[in-house]
Amino acid sequence: MGKRSAVLPESYFGAESIGRILLRIAPPVMFAQLIQALYNIVDSYFIGQYSSAGLTALSVIFPVQLIISALAIGTGVGVNTYMARMYALGETDEASRTAGTGMLLALASWVLFALVALALMRPYAQISAGSAAAVDQAVIYGNIVCAGSLGLFLESLWTKVHQANGNMRLPMIAQVAGALTNILLDPLLIFGAGPLPEMGVAGAAYATIAGQFVAAAIVGVKGFRKPPAPRRMGRYIRPIYALGYPSILMQSLYTVYIVVLNVILAGFSDAAVTVLGLYYKMQTFFFIPLSGLQTCIVPVLSYNYAQRAYARSDR
């Protein structure tokens, strides 16, 4: 018997039982998210070995990284959901144009967010940390991860392009490869090794964006779609954000909550800010099963609703 393809036929979401679909596509997503959560902890471990101010800096920038993820993943969710709907209607060309439009939206989101973040990074760090050392290191780390977040925006978009037709395996491989890249580069760039200089928190930031670009390159090989003509993009932008804005809004509100707590705790000590950041990074482990199922069920529901298979959608 030949090896089963990782790419599911476009009718799979409408033909197979819902339980079997989720059992097949959810485990790779959960595994990839587990690795992602693990490397956030590894980042903090190495920086904690280097400097306590650096560890505080990571906690200060953690909400900023969550906002980047909210914009990137939320846009991807809109693309993913609309593509699944187009596949259900047999409009494969429309699905490809949606993916191409999503890529340009990801690029535009990266440019706008990076510019705003770079302008506001120091004022934000100053209200979120007490010591000058923690503020300076937060600015260094935050500027690098925000300016270099293009890899995350593209990886999130192309991952959702693959997931729209049930290919969860390639995104899993990409995220694992990106996480391993980050983990391997962390000690080399933070502490220095051989010809590599000691870079501290800047090294941790460069390791993070290197991992994101590795993951983006893997999913981008088959996830890239040519954008439609500019005059036709409006018809895709509106449904993308109509379907994606709830995800962006929910994640952003959660981030505001953490920022407010950071500002309050900064009035007591940097150690309190550090502990809060570590707590929320650990907390992500407990939400991985729910997040994985949510990621997988959205394209399945969209596909079946488009086919008017309401009974399947309610199961």
Side-chain angles (χ1 to χ4, degrees), residues 158-215:
W158 287 328
T159 286
K160 296 303 181 184
V161 170
H162 288 292
Q163 290 176 350
N165 65 0
N167 183 0
M168 306 294 177
R169 189 179 303 169
L170 185 61
M172 178 193 72
I173 293 171
Q175 291 185 29
V176 170
L180 291 177
T181 299
N182 189 341
I183 292 171
L184 291 173
L185 288 178
D186 259 339
L188 299 177
L189 299 181
I190 292 171
F191 302 103
L196 297 174
E198 177 184 322
M199 302 174 69
V201 293
Y206 286 124
T208 295
I209 62 175
Q212 292 167 356
F213 275 104
V214 167

Side-chain angles (χ1 to χ4, degrees), residues 39-100:
Y39 93 69
N40 281 331
I41 299 300
V42 172
D43 257 5
S44 297
Y45 170 77
F46 285 120
I47 285 295
Q49 297 294 309
Y50 182 79
S51 122
S52 60
L55 190 56
T56 301
L58 263 62
S59 292
V60 168
I61 299 303
F62 182 59
V64 179
Q65 292 175 293
L66 289 179
I67 293 177
I68 297 174
S69 295
L71 291 172
I73 295 175
T75 302
V77 166
V79 170
N80 168 291
T81 307
Y82 195 62
M83 285 182 69
R85 183 180 298 177
M86 293 300 99
Y87 282 138
L89 298 174
E91 300 284 353
T92 56
D93 289 342
E94 288 291 283
S96 293
R97 295 186 189 104
T98 301

Side-chain angles (χ1 to χ4, degrees), residues 9 14 31 33 94 96 140 156 168 199 249-250 274-275 281:
F31 179 71
Q33 291 180 346
E94 288 291 283
S96 293
I140 292 170
S156 298
M168 306 294 177
M199 302 174 69
L249 184 61
M250 288 177 63
T274 301
V275 170
K281 288 181 181 181

Side-chain angles (χ1 to χ4, degrees), residues 12-18 21 300 304 309-315:
Y12 183 79
F13 287 164
E16 188 58 83
S17 69
I18 301 297
I21 293 172
V300 178
N304 284 281
Y310 302 126
R312 284 174 56 80
S313 301
D314 294 336
R315 291 177 185 174

Side-chain angles (χ1 to χ4, degrees), residues 93-117:
D93 289 342
E94 288 291 283
S96 293
R97 295 186 189 104
T98 301
T101 302
M103 184 185 67
L104 293 184
L105 292 176
L107 291 170
S109 298
W110 164 65
V111 171
L112 291 174
F113 183 84
L115 291 175
V116 172

